[in-house]
Amino acid sequence: MINYNRLGYEIKRNLTNFSTKISKGLKRPQQKFIHQMIYGILAGNKVHRRDHARVPDD
């Protein structure tokens, strides 16, 4: 039987460890942004470029 509480905890811990490694040397707000961005990609299961930034047409 799968313990979903433990599985959720382990996934969150792994995500935090990964985001800490890749954002090493950045300031705390930037580290939090990276963590939230990765979480959003995982939770949403898709990435839409248009949702991240819009470049005005010249």
Side-chain angles (χ1 to χ4, degrees), residues 7-55:
L7 178 63
Y9 171 76
E10 289 179 9
I11 290 171
K12 187 174 182 181
R13 185 183 63 207
N14 289 338
L15 169 65
T16 302
N17 290 339
F18 175 72
S19 67
T20 301
K21 286 179 185 178
I22 66 171
S23 62
K24 191 173 185 177
L26 298 176
K27 295 180 181 177
R28 181 72 176 144
Q30 295 166 332
Q31 290 177 348
K32 287 175 67 175
F33 172 75
I34 300 253
H35 184 271
Q36 291 174 355
M37 184 175 62
I38 294 170
Y39 179 80
I41 291 169
L42 291 173
N45 201 22
K46 56 188 167 186
V47 177
H48 291 286
R49 185 177 54 90
R50 64 180 165 78
D51 292 342
H52 296 293
R54 293 187 182 262
V55 178

Side-chain angles (χ1 to χ4, degrees), residues 1-8:
M1 182 172 213
I2 297 174
N3 184 346
Y4 290 104
N5 288 331
R6 182 174 178 185
L7 178 63

